[in-house]
Amino acid sequence: MSASTTTQKGPLAAQLAALSMPAVLFTVAMIAFPFCYTIWLSFQSISPTGMTRFEGVGNYVRMVSDDQFWNGIYVTAYLYLLSLFLQLVLGTALALLLFRAKKLPGIIRSLFISPFMMPPVVAGMMWLVILDPSLGAANYILTSLGLPPSAWLASPGFVVPTLALIDTWQWTPYVALIVLGGLQSLPPSVYEAAEIDGASRFRIFYRITLPLLLPTLVTATVLRSVDLLRFFDLIYITTQGGPANASTTLNIYGFRTGFEFFQLGYASALMVTLSVIVLGTVLVLNRLRNTVAW
């Protein structure tokens, strides 16, 4: 490389950095300012009239004895684990199906992956109609089969599994696309050697495919964890945290505390706690991904 070329690269890089700096600063400010302001609010006590008083760690101490906070933690964890398990299992199965059915028409493949492209608000309204206890198609099918109708979203004991099933219907194709990309990157020589050794399909999947797919599955887990721990839109459209707080996640509880009861300081503390939970989960999963990488 000539000296003139090296000399030209320095000013060019500086010009590119200068051109991109406003966008970078704007993006950082849009992320940093709300987060820092929320942390500041979490140490304040703000009345509905706007009067502010420094509370210190009082809002965080209040959480320890708040039953609704612990209920939100429980519902968030329950919904997260159930949805994540279903989406990983069904997403992997769908990816294997798409990987093996290579001659499947494009329109069929598009139908398989179409749900996750639907806005959550639209999906929530659609499932509200389907699961309506009186006029919904779900109970019509159950009664046609001689089974008793279900309250679905109106049942405290069944509302979280129902929400998990709706979210699984919508986001399983997204997980399947990630896993399908992982399947297409696996080395074929390993499978050729296994077939020569006479290994069965189940043994090949259990001993070869699944271990090699672990980094991809952990990546899918990270991406879905960020959304599932902050689960909001679908719940707000369908149940708004009901019935009887049975679907009130920590995110829903923080929203209602801040915008329905106007306890902005305590709501900010709840949101900071949720952010720490999400960040901690992602860091742990990233470390796990580095461990299983091959």
Side-chain angles (χ1 to χ4, degrees):
M1 185 181 292
S2 64
S4 60
T5 308
T6 308
T7 323
Q8 289 174 358
K9 277 193 171 182
L12 180 60
Q15 290 174 5
L16 291 175
L19 287 172
S20 61
M21 190 57 66
V24 172
L25 291 176
F26 177 77
T27 304
V28 170
M30 291 297 292
I31 295 173
F33 173 74
F35 186 71
C36 294
Y37 185 59
T38 302
I39 294 176
W40 179 81
L41 284 177
S42 70
F43 294 106
Q44 311 296 320
S45 176
I46 304 174
S47 69
T49 59
M51 297 293 294
T52 303
R53 186 182 76 254
F54 182 71
E55 191 76 11
V57 295
N59 287 322
Y60 294 95
V61 173
R62 176 181 168 185
M63 288 184 202
V64 180
S65 58
D66 185 1
D67 292 338
Q68 288 301 318
F69 167 74
W70 293 110
N71 176 73
I73 291 287
Y74 168 75
V75 174
T76 300
Y78 181 19
L79 187 58
Y80 165 68
L81 293 173
L82 181 58
S83 301
L84 185 63
F85 172 76
L86 291 173
Q87 290 169 31
L88 288 177
V89 172
L90 297 177
T92 302
L94 180 58
L96 288 169
L97 174 63
L98 294 174
F99 182 69
R100 290 173 181 170
K102 295 181 179 178
K103 295 184 179 179
L104 205 63
I107 185 65
I108 304 298
R109 288 174 172 265
S110 300
L111 287 174
F112 272 126
I113 66 173
S114 59
F116 84 90
M117 294 185 289
M118 185 180 297
V121 173
V122 176
M125 297 299 294
M126 180 186 75
W127 281 100
L128 267 179
V129 175
I130 293 174
L131 299 176
D132 185 273
S134 303
L135 305 173
N139 276 347
Y140 174 78
I141 293 173
L142 288 180
T143 53
S144 299
L145 296 174
L147 300 172
S150 173
W152 301 110
L153 295 169
S155 167
F158 204 58
V159 62
V160 172
T162 302
L163 289 169
L165 289 174
I166 296 174
D167 193 69
T168 298
W169 168 83
Q170 184 171 18
W171 289 103
T172 291
Y174 176 72
V175 176
L177 284 180
I178 297 173
V179 177
L180 181 60
L183 285 170
Q184 291 172 341
S185 68
L186 298 183
S189 57
V190 180
Y191 292 94
E192 293 169 1
E195 289 175 0
I196 292 174
D197 291 341
S200 64
R201 283 192 173 184
F202 176 77
R203 196 170 184 83
I204 290 175
F205 173 76
Y206 183 71
R207 294 289 186 179
I208 299 176
T209 305
L210 198 56
L212 291 177
L213 273 181
L214 278 179
T216 303
L217 291 174
V218 176
T219 300
T221 301
V222 171
L223 295 174
R224 290 304 301 135
S225 294
V226 174
D227 282 338
L228 287 170
L229 289 171
R230 300 180 298 113
F231 212 137
F232 180 83
D233 38 21
L234 183 62
I235 298 176
Y236 192 75
I237 289 296
T238 53
T239 67
Q240 296 190 359
N245 294 324
S247 61
T248 301
T249 60
L250 192 56
N251 205 2
I252 292 288
Y253 180 47
F255 174 84
R256 295 184 63 186
T257 301
F259 294 102
E260 292 183 14
F261 302 107
F262 303 105
Q263 300 177 23
L264 294 179
Y266 187 51
S268 299
L270 292 170
M271 291 298 96
V272 170
T273 303
L274 177 60
S275 300
V276 171
I277 292 173
V278 174
L279 179 61
T281 303
V282 170
L283 290 175
V284 170
L285 290 173
N286 274 330
R287 178 161 293 189
L288 176 62
R289 182 173 57 182
N290 295 332
T291 303
V292 300
W294 50 274

Coordinates of all heavy atoms in Angstrom, one line a residue, residues 94 98 106-124 126-127 166-177 224 227 233:
L94 N -40.6 -26.7 13.7 CA -41.0 -26.1 12.4 C -39.8 -25.8 11.5 O -39.8 -26.0 10.3 CB -41.7 -24.7 12.7 CG -42.1 -23.9 11.5 CD1 -43.1 -24.7 10.7 CD2 -42.8 -22.6 12.0
L98 N -39.3 -27.3 7.7 CA -38.9 -26.4 6.6 C -37.6 -26.8 6.0 O -37.4 -26.7 4.7 CB -38.9 -25.0 7.0 CG -40.2 -24.3 7.4 CD1 -40.0 -22.9 8.0 CD2 -41.2 -24.4 6.3
G106 N -43.3 -21.9 -2.2 CA -43.0 -20.6 -1.5 C -44.2 -20.0 -0.7 O -44.0 -19.5 0.4
I107 N -45.4 -20.2 -1.3 CA -46.6 -19.6 -0.6 C -46.8 -20.3 0.7 O -47.3 -19.7 1.7 CB -47.8 -19.7 -1.6 CG1 -49.0 -19.0 -0.9 CG2 -48.1 -21.1 -1.9 CD1 -48.8 -17.5 -0.7
I108 N -46.6 -21.6 0.8 CA -46.8 -22.4 2.0 C -45.8 -21.9 3.0 O -46.1 -21.8 4.2 CB -46.7 -23.9 1.7 CG1 -47.7 -24.3 0.7 CG2 -46.9 -24.7 3.0 CD1 -49.1 -24.1 1.1
R109 N -44.5 -21.8 2.6 CA -43.5 -21.3 3.5 C -43.8 -19.9 4.1 O -43.6 -19.6 5.3 CB -42.1 -21.2 2.8 CG -41.5 -22.6 2.5 CD -40.2 -22.4 1.7 NE -39.6 -23.7 1.6 CZ -38.6 -24.2 2.4 NH1 -38.2 -23.4 3.3 NH2 -38.0 -25.3 2.2
S110 N -44.4 -19.0 3.2 CA -44.8 -17.7 3.6 C -45.9 -17.8 4.7 O -45.9 -17.0 5.6 CB -45.2 -16.9 2.4 OG -44.2 -16.7 1.5
L111 N -46.8 -18.7 4.5 CA -47.9 -18.8 5.5 C -47.4 -19.3 6.8 O -47.9 -18.9 7.9 CB -49.0 -19.8 4.9 CG -49.8 -19.3 3.8 CD1 -50.7 -20.4 3.3 CD2 -50.7 -18.1 4.2
F112 N -46.4 -20.1 6.8 CA -45.8 -20.6 8.0 C -45.2 -19.5 8.9 O -45.3 -19.5 10.1 CB -44.7 -21.7 7.8 CG -45.3 -23.1 7.7 CD1 -45.0 -23.9 6.5 CD2 -46.0 -23.6 8.7 CE1 -45.5 -25.2 6.5 CE2 -46.6 -24.9 8.6 CZ -46.3 -25.7 7.5
I113 N -44.6 -18.5 8.2 CA -43.8 -17.5 8.9 C -44.6 -16.2 9.0 O -44.1 -15.2 9.6 CB -42.5 -17.2 8.2 CG1 -42.7 -16.6 6.9 CG2 -41.6 -18.5 8.2 CD1 -41.4 -16.2 6.2
S114 N -45.8 -16.1 8.5 CA -46.6 -14.9 8.5 C -47.0 -14.3 9.8 O -47.1 -13.1 10.0 CB -47.8 -15.0 7.5 OG -48.6 -16.0 8.0
P115 N -47.3 -15.2 10.8 CA -47.9 -14.6 12.1 C -47.0 -13.6 12.7 O -47.5 -12.6 13.3 CB -48.1 -15.8 13.0 CG -48.3 -17.0 12.0 CD -47.4 -16.6 10.9
F116 N -45.7 -13.7 12.8 CA -44.8 -12.8 13.5 C -44.7 -11.4 12.8 O -44.2 -10.5 13.4 CB -43.5 -13.4 13.8 CG -42.4 -13.2 12.7 CD1 -41.6 -12.1 12.6 CD2 -42.3 -14.2 11.8 CE1 -40.7 -12.0 11.6 CE2 -41.3 -14.1 10.8 CZ -40.5 -13.0 10.7
M117 N -45.2 -11.4 11.5 CA -45.2 -10.1 10.8 C -46.4 -9.3 11.1 O -46.6 -8.1 10.7 CB -45.1 -10.3 9.3 CG -43.7 -10.9 8.9 SD -43.5 -11.1 7.1 CE -44.6 -12.4 6.8
M118 N -47.4 -9.9 11.9 CA -48.6 -9.2 12.2 C -48.4 -8.3 13.5 O -47.8 -8.7 14.4 CB -49.7 -10.2 12.5 CG -51.1 -9.7 12.8 SD -52.3 -11.0 13.1 CE -52.3 -11.8 11.6
P119 N -48.8 -7.0 13.5 CA -48.7 -6.2 14.6 C -49.4 -6.8 15.9 O -50.5 -7.4 15.7 CB -49.4 -4.9 14.2 CG -49.4 -4.9 12.7 CD -49.5 -6.3 12.3
P120 N -48.8 -6.7 17.0 CA -49.3 -7.4 18.2 C -50.8 -6.9 18.6 O -51.6 -7.6 19.1 CB -48.4 -7.0 19.4 CG -47.1 -6.7 18.7 CD -47.4 -6.2 17.3
V121 N -51.0 -5.6 18.2 CA -52.4 -5.1 18.5 C -53.4 -5.8 17.6 O -54.5 -6.2 18.1 CB -52.4 -3.5 18.2 CG1 -53.8 -3.0 18.3 CG2 -51.5 -2.8 19.2
V122 N -53.1 -6.0 16.4 CA -54.0 -6.7 15.5 C -54.1 -8.2 15.9 O -55.3 -8.7 15.9 CB -53.4 -6.7 14.0 CG1 -54.3 -7.5 13.1 CG2 -53.3 -5.2 13.5
A123 N -53.0 -8.8 16.3 CA -53.1 -10.2 16.8 C -54.0 -10.3 18.0 O -54.8 -11.2 18.2 CB -51.7 -10.7 17.1
G124 N -53.8 -9.3 19.0 CA -54.6 -9.3 20.2 C -56.1 -9.2 19.9 O -56.9 -9.9 20.5
M126 N -57.7 -9.9 17.2 CA -58.1 -11.1 16.5 C -58.4 -12.3 17.5 O -59.4 -12.9 17.4 CB -57.1 -11.6 15.4 CG -57.5 -12.8 14.6 SD -56.1 -13.4 13.6 CE -55.0 -14.1 14.8
W127 N -57.5 -12.5 18.4 CA -57.6 -13.5 19.4 C -58.7 -13.2 20.4 O -59.3 -14.1 21.0 CB -56.3 -13.9 20.1 CG -55.4 -14.7 19.2 CD1 -54.4 -14.3 18.4 CD2 -55.6 -16.1 19.0 NE1 -53.9 -15.4 17.8 CE2 -54.5 -16.5 18.1 CE3 -56.4 -17.1 19.5 CZ2 -54.4 -17.8 17.7 CZ3 -56.3 -18.4 19.1 CH2 -55.2 -18.7 18.2
I166 N -51.0 -17.7 22.7 CA -51.2 -16.6 21.7 C -49.8 -16.1 21.2 O -49.5 -16.0 20.0 CB -52.0 -15.5 22.2 CG1 -53.5 -15.9 22.5 CG2 -52.1 -14.3 21.2 CD1 -54.3 -14.9 23.1
D167 N -48.9 -15.8 22.2 CA -47.6 -15.4 21.9 C -46.8 -16.4 21.1 O -46.0 -16.1 20.2 CB -46.9 -14.9 23.1 CG -45.6 -14.1 22.9 OD1 -45.8 -13.0 22.4 OD2 -44.5 -14.6 23.1
T168 N -47.0 -17.7 21.5 CA -46.3 -18.8 20.8 C -46.8 -18.9 19.4 O -45.9 -19.1 18.5 CB -46.6 -20.1 21.6 OG1 -46.0 -20.0 22.9 CG2 -45.9 -21.3 20.9
W169 N -48.1 -18.7 19.2 CA -48.6 -18.8 17.8 C -47.9 -17.7 16.9 O -47.6 -17.9 15.8 CB -50.1 -18.6 17.8 CG -50.7 -18.3 16.5 CD1 -51.0 -19.2 15.5 CD2 -51.0 -17.0 15.9 NE1 -51.5 -18.5 14.4 CE2 -51.5 -17.2 14.6 CE3 -50.8 -15.7 16.4 CZ2 -51.8 -16.1 13.8 CZ3 -51.2 -14.6 15.6 CH2 -51.7 -14.8 14.3
Q170 N -47.7 -16.5 17.5 CA -47.2 -15.4 16.8 C -45.7 -15.4 16.6 O -45.2 -15.1 15.5 CB -47.6 -14.0 17.5 CG -47.1 -12.8 16.7 CD -47.7 -11.5 17.2 OE1 -48.1 -11.5 18.4 NE2 -47.7 -10.5 16.4
W171 N -44.9 -15.9 17.6 CA -43.5 -15.7 17.5 C -42.7 -17.0 17.3 O -41.5 -17.0 17.1 CB -43.0 -15.1 18.8 CG -43.4 -13.6 18.8 CD1 -44.4 -13.1 19.5 CD2 -42.8 -12.6 18.1 NE1 -44.5 -11.7 19.3 CE2 -43.5 -11.4 18.4 CE3 -41.7 -12.5 17.1 CZ2 -43.2 -10.2 17.8 CZ3 -41.4 -11.3 16.6 CH2 -42.1 -10.1 16.9
T172 N -43.4 -18.2 17.2 CA -42.7 -19.4 16.9 C -42.1 -19.4 15.5 O -41.0 -19.8 15.3 CB -43.7 -20.6 17.0 OG1 -44.0 -20.8 18.4 CG2 -43.1 -21.9 16.4
P173 N -42.8 -18.8 14.5 CA -42.1 -18.7 13.2 C -40.8 -17.9 13.2 O -39.9 -18.2 12.5 CB -43.2 -18.0 12.3 CG -44.5 -18.3 12.9 CD -44.2 -18.3 14.4
Y174 N -40.8 -16.9 14.1 CA -39.5 -16.1 14.2 C -38.4 -16.9 14.7 O -37.3 -16.9 14.2 CB -39.8 -14.9 15.1 CG -38.6 -14.0 15.4 CD1 -38.1 -13.2 14.5 CD2 -38.0 -14.0 16.7 CE1 -37.0 -12.4 14.7 CE2 -36.9 -13.2 17.0 CZ -36.4 -12.4 16.0 OH -35.3 -11.6 16.3
V175 N -38.7 -17.7 15.7 CA -37.7 -18.6 16.3 C -37.3 -19.7 15.2 O -36.1 -20.0 15.1 CB -38.2 -19.3 17.6 CG1 -37.2 -20.4 18.1 CG2 -38.5 -18.3 18.6
A176 N -38.3 -20.1 14.5 CA -38.0 -21.1 13.4 C -37.1 -20.6 12.4 O -36.2 -21.3 11.9 CB -39.3 -21.6 12.8
L177 N -37.2 -19.3 12.0 CA -36.3 -18.7 11.0 C -34.9 -18.7 11.5 O -33.9 -18.9 10.8 CB -36.8 -17.3 10.6 CG -38.0 -17.2 9.7 CD1 -38.3 -15.7 9.4 CD2 -37.7 -17.9 8.4
R224 N -35.7 -13.5 22.3 CA -37.1 -13.6 22.8 C -37.2 -13.2 24.2 O -38.2 -12.7 24.7 CB -37.6 -15.1 22.6 CG -37.8 -15.5 21.2 CD -38.8 -14.6 20.5 NE -40.1 -14.6 21.1 CZ -40.8 -13.4 21.4 NH1 -40.3 -12.3 21.0 NH2 -41.9 -13.4 22.0
D227 N -38.0 -9.5 24.7 CA -39.4 -9.2 24.5 C -40.3 -9.8 25.6 O -41.2 -9.1 26.1 CB -39.9 -9.7 23.1 CG -39.4 -8.8 22.0 OD1 -39.1 -7.6 22.3 OD2 -39.3 -9.3 20.9
D233 N -47.9 -5.3 25.2 CA -48.9 -4.9 24.3 C -50.0 -5.9 24.2 O -51.2 -5.6 24.2 CB -48.3 -4.6 22.9 CG -47.2 -5.6 22.5 OD1 -47.1 -6.6 23.1 OD2 -46.4 -5.2 21.6

